[in-house]
Amino acid sequence: MPRRGRLHIPGGCYHVIGRGLERRDIFDDTADKRDFLSRFGNSLRRNGAQCLAWAIMSNHYHFLIRTSAQPLGRLMASVLGGFAGNYNRRHRRSGYVFQNRFTSILCNEDSYLLELVRYIHLNPVRAKMIDDLSELNEYPWTGHTGIIGKRRQKWHSVDEVLVHFGKSRRQARRSYIEFIQAGMVATNGMALSGGGLVRSYGGWESIVRLRKEHISCIGDERILGDSSFVEYVLKEDEIAIESKSRLMQDGWNLGKLIVYVCERCKVEQSDLLRRSREDTVSEAKALICYLGAEKLGLKSRKIAEQLGISRPAVSKWISKGREIGREEDWLDPFG
């Protein structure tokens, strides 16, 4: 059965999980963990995304990521590919490092954000690597220490979490710690995998019963949320796919986009391939990157090759192009 495409909802909150091949250890030492987190932080900045929670274990990782307009796959690709190459060189091995592609579950923030933060940060406790809260407070490989004011990673959006616990930082940290403590002693944890409407209908047995009664239900393992959230996500994803399909049917591709932008900016196509500080050339490059990536769904690699720039540069130009694109009528041809 072909695998389902990832859902891309700009600003969506995703629980991201990845494991080592055959569940082998992939973070063998501190250097591996630091390398992985450094690459992750750099990719977050390039893609304009936020990390709300994280945990690095011996053979897997968890992140809670709020995306920007950039797809999650683009954010993670450079992290996983770069880490795997460096890991193989450091450990004198070859072959795959990660097991299949990473899992991403789009979550309803209103219902699940805080539960996911707690679930992710308590990973070392569930794995019996540490025993109590005092040890978790000193454990360096989850975002918990950052939220309580210790060993914070620069890319960890701590305030986005603390705002849910209190008005002052001191009060919020105290309430957060109490929330984590309650999770350490709770016996019945909330199910936090995907499943669409399964839980909102009362579990799989209820779904089977409803189907026997010819009542249709929406379900999707890529989504964690209630009925209204699942319906909204699937509709938004459908609209985005339909928009790109329409543009392709209308003959839009990278070549046509470059002609369109160059004519509007009054620059020669050959100017795009040379280094220039002219505002019009910079504006043209930014718009090509933005419209190509976000409206036509083109790969950064393809855009980079055409413009003679690096893939990280494409991400920077996208941000600038997004600001320019809001002005005048740049978006009219794209709906």
mmCIF file of all heavy atoms in Angstrom, residues 17 19 38 76 123 125 128 140 162 167 178 184 202 209 217 261 264 277 283 287 319 324 329:
data_model
loop_
_atom_site.group_PDB
_atom_site.id
_atom_site.type_symbol
_atom_site.label_atom_id
_atom_site.label_comp_id
_atom_site.label_asym_id
_atom_site.label_seq_id
_atom_site.Cartn_x
_atom_site.Cartn_y
_atom_site.Cartn_z
ATOM 1 N N ILE A 17 8.482 11.964 15.615
ATOM 2 C CA ILE A 17 9.200 10.858 16.251
ATOM 3 C C ILE A 17 10.040 10.141 15.206
ATOM 4 O O ILE A 17 9.567 9.888 14.093
ATOM 5 C CB ILE A 17 8.238 9.837 16.887
ATOM 6 C CG1 ILE A 17 7.187 10.540 17.735
ATOM 7 C CG2 ILE A 17 8.994 8.806 17.722
ATOM 8 C CD1 ILE A 17 5.777 10.267 17.332
ATOM 9 N N ARG A 19 13.291 6.944 14.812
ATOM 10 C CA ARG A 19 14.068 5.902 15.492
ATOM 11 C C ARG A 19 15.264 5.460 14.659
ATOM 12 O O ARG A 19 15.288 5.621 13.441
ATOM 13 C CB ARG A 19 13.185 4.673 15.760
ATOM 14 C CG ARG A 19 12.028 4.938 16.699
ATOM 15 C CD ARG A 19 11.276 3.665 17.028
ATOM 16 N NE ARG A 19 10.175 3.935 17.939
ATOM 17 C CZ ARG A 19 10.297 4.053 19.251
ATOM 18 N NH1 ARG A 19 11.497 3.898 19.802
ATOM 19 N NH2 ARG A 19 9.263 4.314 20.014
ATOM 20 N N SER A 38 22.308 20.558 17.279
ATOM 21 C CA SER A 38 22.817 21.735 16.581
ATOM 22 C C SER A 38 22.221 21.840 15.187
ATOM 23 O O SER A 38 21.782 22.920 14.754
ATOM 24 C CB SER A 38 24.352 21.677 16.498
ATOM 25 O OG SER A 38 24.854 22.745 15.723
ATOM 26 N N MET A 76 13.141 18.795 8.430
ATOM 27 C CA MET A 76 13.808 17.612 8.974
ATOM 28 C C MET A 76 14.833 17.012 8.015
ATOM 29 O O MET A 76 15.758 16.328 8.457
ATOM 30 C CB MET A 76 12.774 16.559 9.348
ATOM 31 C CG MET A 76 11.856 16.960 10.492
ATOM 32 S SD MET A 76 12.732 17.312 12.044
ATOM 33 C CE MET A 76 13.485 15.709 12.402
ATOM 34 N N ASN A 123 9.928 11.267 28.838
ATOM 35 C CA ASN A 123 10.468 10.080 28.173
ATOM 36 C C ASN A 123 11.547 9.371 28.989
ATOM 37 O O ASN A 123 11.514 8.142 29.120
ATOM 38 C CB ASN A 123 11.013 10.462 26.794
ATOM 39 C CG ASN A 123 10.128 9.966 25.669
ATOM 40 O OD1 ASN A 123 10.472 9.043 24.956
ATOM 41 N ND2 ASN A 123 8.968 10.584 25.516
ATOM 42 N N VAL A 125 11.920 9.179 32.120
ATOM 43 C CA VAL A 125 11.293 8.542 33.285
ATOM 44 C C VAL A 125 10.609 7.245 32.861
ATOM 45 O O VAL A 125 10.771 6.203 33.504
ATOM 46 C CB VAL A 125 10.279 9.493 33.949
ATOM 47 C CG1 VAL A 125 9.600 8.803 35.134
ATOM 48 C CG2 VAL A 125 10.972 10.775 34.402
ATOM 49 N N LYS A 128 12.850 4.507 32.352
ATOM 50 C CA LYS A 128 13.542 4.123 33.583
ATOM 51 C C LYS A 128 15.031 4.477 33.546
ATOM 52 O O LYS A 128 15.871 3.815 34.158
ATOM 53 C CB LYS A 128 13.358 2.624 33.861
ATOM 54 C CG LYS A 128 11.899 2.218 34.006
ATOM 55 C CD LYS A 128 11.746 0.789 34.443
ATOM 56 C CE LYS A 128 10.295 0.345 34.486
ATOM 57 N NZ LYS A 128 9.425 1.222 35.290
ATOM 58 N N PRO A 140 20.113 16.524 30.911
ATOM 59 C CA PRO A 140 20.358 17.554 29.892
ATOM 60 C C PRO A 140 19.734 17.311 28.526
ATOM 61 O O PRO A 140 19.808 18.180 27.660
ATOM 62 C CB PRO A 140 21.886 17.547 29.771
ATOM 63 C CG PRO A 140 22.272 16.132 30.057
ATOM 64 C CD PRO A 140 21.297 15.649 31.103
ATOM 65 N N LEU A 162 5.439 28.293 28.682
ATOM 66 C CA LEU A 162 5.207 28.889 30.005
ATOM 67 C C LEU A 162 3.967 29.775 30.039
ATOM 68 O O LEU A 162 3.323 29.905 31.082
ATOM 69 C CB LEU A 162 6.433 29.698 30.431
ATOM 70 C CG LEU A 162 7.659 28.889 30.859
ATOM 71 C CD1 LEU A 162 8.820 29.822 31.173
ATOM 72 C CD2 LEU A 162 7.343 28.011 32.064
ATOM 73 N N LYS A 167 1.063 34.031 34.559
ATOM 74 C CA LYS A 167 1.399 35.338 34.011
ATOM 75 C C LYS A 167 2.859 35.691 34.246
ATOM 76 O O LYS A 167 3.515 36.260 33.376
ATOM 77 C CB LYS A 167 0.494 36.404 34.627
ATOM 78 C CG LYS A 167 -0.972 36.256 34.229
ATOM 79 C CD LYS A 167 -1.822 37.361 34.830
ATOM 80 C CE LYS A 167 -3.283 37.214 34.402
ATOM 81 N NZ LYS A 167 -4.138 38.295 34.971
ATOM 82 N N GLU A 178 4.647 21.411 38.851
ATOM 83 C CA GLU A 178 3.552 20.652 39.463
ATOM 84 C C GLU A 178 2.850 19.782 38.424
ATOM 85 O O GLU A 178 2.459 18.641 38.707
ATOM 86 C CB GLU A 178 2.555 21.616 40.105
ATOM 87 C CG GLU A 178 3.105 22.346 41.326
ATOM 88 C CD GLU A 178 2.158 23.411 41.841
ATOM 89 O OE1 GLU A 178 1.112 23.651 41.177
ATOM 90 O OE2 GLU A 178 2.459 24.031 42.889
ATOM 91 N N MET A 184 4.136 12.178 36.547
ATOM 92 C CA MET A 184 5.034 11.107 36.966
ATOM 93 C C MET A 184 4.320 10.080 37.833
ATOM 94 O O MET A 184 4.727 8.915 37.884
ATOM 95 C CB MET A 184 6.221 11.692 37.736
ATOM 96 C CG MET A 184 7.103 12.580 36.896
ATOM 97 S SD MET A 184 8.580 13.178 37.759
ATOM 98 C CE MET A 184 9.582 11.695 37.787
ATOM 99 N N GLY A 202 -15.088 7.140 20.948
ATOM 100 C CA GLY A 202 -15.124 6.143 22.004
ATOM 101 C C GLY A 202 -14.297 4.905 21.736
ATOM 102 O O GLY A 202 -14.516 3.862 22.350
ATOM 103 N N ARG A 209 -18.977 -0.408 15.487
ATOM 104 C CA ARG A 209 -20.433 -0.425 15.674
ATOM 105 C C ARG A 209 -21.112 0.635 14.803
ATOM 106 O O ARG A 209 -22.128 0.371 14.153
ATOM 107 C CB ARG A 209 -20.771 -0.176 17.152
ATOM 108 C CG ARG A 209 -22.274 -0.059 17.428
ATOM 109 C CD ARG A 209 -22.533 0.148 18.912
ATOM 110 N NE ARG A 209 -21.828 1.302 19.444
ATOM 111 C CZ ARG A 209 -22.225 2.570 19.242
ATOM 112 N NH1 ARG A 209 -23.306 2.825 18.523
ATOM 113 N NH2 ARG A 209 -21.540 3.567 19.773
ATOM 114 N N CYS A 217 -17.501 7.710 9.492
ATOM 115 C CA CYS A 217 -16.620 8.413 10.415
ATOM 116 C C CYS A 217 -15.323 8.750 9.692
ATOM 117 O O CYS A 217 -14.859 7.984 8.861
ATOM 118 C CB CYS A 217 -16.284 7.540 11.625
ATOM 119 S SG CYS A 217 -17.729 6.894 12.494
ATOM 120 N N VAL A 261 8.063 36.773 -13.041
ATOM 121 C CA VAL A 261 8.678 37.642 -12.039
ATOM 122 C C VAL A 261 9.636 38.639 -12.678
ATOM 123 O O VAL A 261 9.651 39.836 -12.321
ATOM 124 C CB VAL A 261 9.408 36.803 -10.970
ATOM 125 C CG1 VAL A 261 10.213 37.697 -10.031
ATOM 126 C CG2 VAL A 261 8.407 35.982 -10.162
ATOM 127 N N ARG A 264 7.752 41.459 -14.295
ATOM 128 C CA ARG A 264 7.166 42.367 -13.307
ATOM 129 C C ARG A 264 8.234 43.229 -12.634
ATOM 130 O O ARG A 264 7.987 44.402 -12.312
ATOM 131 C CB ARG A 264 6.410 41.562 -12.244
ATOM 132 C CG ARG A 264 5.098 40.934 -12.709
ATOM 133 C CD ARG A 264 3.990 41.986 -12.836
ATOM 134 N NE ARG A 264 3.792 42.740 -11.624
ATOM 135 C CZ ARG A 264 2.966 42.380 -10.633
ATOM 136 N NH1 ARG A 264 2.252 41.259 -10.752
ATOM 137 N NH2 ARG A 264 2.829 43.108 -9.555
ATOM 138 N N ARG A 277 23.593 43.462 -5.803
ATOM 139 C CA ARG A 277 22.948 44.083 -4.649
ATOM 140 C C ARG A 277 21.802 44.994 -5.074
ATOM 141 O O ARG A 277 21.235 45.705 -4.240
ATOM 142 C CB ARG A 277 23.968 44.875 -3.833
ATOM 143 C CG ARG A 277 25.030 43.973 -3.180
ATOM 144 C CD ARG A 277 25.940 44.778 -2.273
ATOM 145 N NE ARG A 277 26.924 43.920 -1.606
ATOM 146 C CZ ARG A 277 27.831 44.360 -0.738
ATOM 147 N NH1 ARG A 277 27.877 45.666 -0.448
ATOM 148 N NH2 ARG A 277 28.686 43.528 -0.176
ATOM 149 N N GLU A 283 14.806 41.420 -5.184
ATOM 150 C CA GLU A 283 13.360 41.234 -5.080
ATOM 151 C C GLU A 283 12.886 40.105 -5.981
ATOM 152 O O GLU A 283 12.060 39.280 -5.584
ATOM 153 C CB GLU A 283 12.653 42.536 -5.459
ATOM 154 C CG GLU A 283 11.143 42.470 -5.357
ATOM 155 C CD GLU A 283 10.485 43.801 -5.669
ATOM 156 O OE1 GLU A 283 10.558 44.710 -4.829
ATOM 157 O OE2 GLU A 283 9.910 43.931 -6.778
ATOM 158 N N LEU A 287 11.092 36.610 -4.713
ATOM 159 C CA LEU A 287 9.746 36.240 -5.163
ATOM 160 C C LEU A 287 9.738 34.886 -5.862
ATOM 161 O O LEU A 287 8.802 34.101 -5.691
ATOM 162 C CB LEU A 287 9.200 37.322 -6.096
ATOM 163 C CG LEU A 287 8.731 38.602 -5.383
ATOM 164 C CD1 LEU A 287 8.571 39.734 -6.374
ATOM 165 C CD2 LEU A 287 7.417 38.346 -4.648
ATOM 166 N N SER A 319 11.640 33.825 2.982
ATOM 167 C CA SER A 319 11.132 34.725 4.027
ATOM 168 C C SER A 319 10.983 36.149 3.506
ATOM 169 O O SER A 319 9.974 36.818 3.757
ATOM 170 C CB SER A 319 12.076 34.707 5.233
ATOM 171 O OG SER A 319 12.138 33.424 5.803
ATOM 172 N N ILE A 324 7.325 40.554 0.469
ATOM 173 C CA ILE A 324 7.081 41.285 -0.775
ATOM 174 C C ILE A 324 5.781 40.825 -1.421
ATOM 175 O O ILE A 324 5.019 41.621 -1.964
ATOM 176 C CB ILE A 324 8.253 41.075 -1.760
ATOM 177 C CG1 ILE A 324 9.562 41.572 -1.143
ATOM 178 C CG2 ILE A 324 7.982 41.792 -3.078
ATOM 179 C CD1 ILE A 324 10.783 41.207 -1.952
ATOM 180 N N ASP A 329 -0.313 43.160 -6.196
ATOM 181 C CA ASP A 329 -1.144 42.051 -6.671
ATOM 182 C C ASP A 329 -0.297 40.870 -7.139
ATOM 183 O O ASP A 329 -0.599 40.185 -8.090
ATOM 184 C CB ASP A 329 -2.049 42.515 -7.810
ATOM 185 C CG ASP A 329 -1.247 43.123 -8.969
ATOM 186 O OD1 ASP A 329 -0.038 43.334 -8.788
ATOM 187 O OD2 ASP A 329 -1.853 43.370 -10.020
#
